[in-house]
Amino acid sequence: MKRRAGEREKELKKKKLLEELGEKRLPYVTPADADFRQLWKTKYSKLIFRKSDTVPEDLHQMVQEGFLTLREQDCFFQDLVRIKGKDFLTPVSRILIGNPGCTYKYLNTRLFTVPWPTEGYDIKYCSPQIHDACKALIRLNDYLHIEAVKALQGQNFFETKEIKDTTVIDREQNFATPLTEKGSVSKDQSSCCVPEDDYISLKNRTSYNLTLLNYMDPLQMLYLKQEPYFGMGNMAVSWHHDENLVERSTVAVYSYSCEGSAMEESNEQKLKGRDPAVWHVGLKVAWDIETPGLAIPLHQGDFYLMLDDLNMTHQHCVLAGFSPRFSSTHRVADCSRGTLEYIFGQCELALQNLQTDSDSMALSLKSLETAVIKQVEEIHNETSLVLSEVGKEEQTEEQRNETIDCFLLALTERQRLRKEWTARCQSEAAESLPEDQKPECHPFWTDDECDMPLPYDLEEVIANLQNLVQ
């Protein structure tokens, strides 16, 4: 319910913004514009950009070979996502790689990590090449973690000083000399203004536990959406905030466009706005029509960091160029409820309310308190036993009605989710996928010919419980 309300709120904001704009387009700047630096400094200072020549050459080679290996091994897939109640296949193909057992959820779709080599885990890969690709990505992950910590330290350090720099940068330079200097601030130098607890917090907010890899060849796409607010051109990924992240955590993005396979830059000498042949990341202040946006070119091996709360206060999009492109987007995903360890823990918690009669070996519940029932039903582990207990005469009518009301809420939500998932499995987008990529519906929900014994008919149970409390 909370998620759907949030989606409705976003749609209302977007509709209002587009209505205010009408046929107009908001201004945006690129690093080639004279006022770019001042706008970045005042409105986008938590965006840190690094050009490819700041990254070790051997790391470039390992990572870029890894990208190509994963593509050659058919490891990238379009995701079936749900937007405004409709199912779509993403134009970008993706794979999630990271800590064993981690998952990442976006647009109502949960992805599971292909684990990168991790101490203490015996991970078996289907080929040595895929092992090497995953190893390259964890090395990139470690490098970007260090760079993000230094960038956050540097921001804290330089916010205490007045920065006087009037350098006008062009497209070929890193964003401002102070940014480059920040990357070299030592822990000792920054510790004067960063307490130890804050330093630990900085490390936690940059300890990436997974990377979402993206690949797209724009020339193979039949259609790409146009950027609606600024007129920035073709979008590979629409405006959004990254989801399912630890609060105020940094996002790091390494970009690799396959230059040479298509014209990388336009032959026109003077272009108004961004060069459509070159991939860009676009940024804007969320739900704001006063502040100009940014469009920043991404060349082979460049990377950028979105520090602190930038992902919450701003939105970003990816603007397609002409050449195929990979990216590795490193995140501190919120895995508090999305790991196998968490699921096992929840099952154990639910089983704590279960008891076995020593003589008959019959199962029963220890408690029917509403708080306990709510917890157990959210875990979804003991449904048929609750139905049995409710029918017993030990409870007063008031107690029984209270239990049923609590139980009905959980069952109704469960039925809604089952119907939504069934609809997704049967959608046109899902049906267009190869057989081995199609989502599966549980036979309990859809197949009348199923030989497996049904524990209960959910709609019938809901109707019976509603009759009991009338």
Side-chain angles (χ1 to χ4, degrees), residues 240-279:
H240 67 287
H241 305 276
D242 286 339
E243 302 178 62
N244 194 36
L245 304 180
V246 170
E247 188 176 2
R248 301 176 75 94
S249 60
T250 293
V251 177
V253 180
Y254 176 91
S255 181
Y256 172 52
S257 51
C258 304
E259 300 172 10
S261 59
M263 182 175 62
E264 174 59 17
E265 297 193 33
S266 172
N267 291 325
E268 298 179 33
Q269 295 301 309
K270 293 185 178 179
L271 289 164
K272 184 177 180 181
R274 74 141 182 140
D275 185 339
V278 179
W279 285 81

Side-chain angles (χ1 to χ4, degrees), residues 204-206 245-251 306-308 311 332:
N204 291 340
R205 288 187 285 129
T206 56
L245 304 180
V246 170
E247 188 176 2
R248 301 176 75 94
S249 60
T250 293
V251 177
M306 294 189 289
L307 302 180
D308 195 44
N311 181 56
V332 188

Side-chain angles (χ1 to χ4, degrees), residues 325-369:
R325 173 183 177 263
F326 296 90
S327 67
S328 183
T329 62
H330 298 250
R331 306 152 191 255
V332 188
D334 180 2
C335 290
S336 58
R337 301 186 61 176
T339 63
L340 188 60
E341 183 180 0
Y342 166 82
I343 294 168
F344 281 150
Q346 289 295 91
C347 291
E348 291 175 359
L349 185 62
L351 289 172
Q352 290 177 8
N353 193 40
L354 194 64
Q355 60 186 1
T356 305
D357 185 274
S358 58
D359 296 325
S360 66
M361 303 302 292
L363 298 175
S364 62
L365 301 179
K366 296 178 183 178
S367 172
L368 278 177
E369 293 181 13

Side-chain angles (χ1 to χ4, degrees), residues 19 43 116 309 334 448:
E19 286 175 351
K43 297 294 184 179
W116 46 32
D309 61 351
D334 180 2
D448 294 333

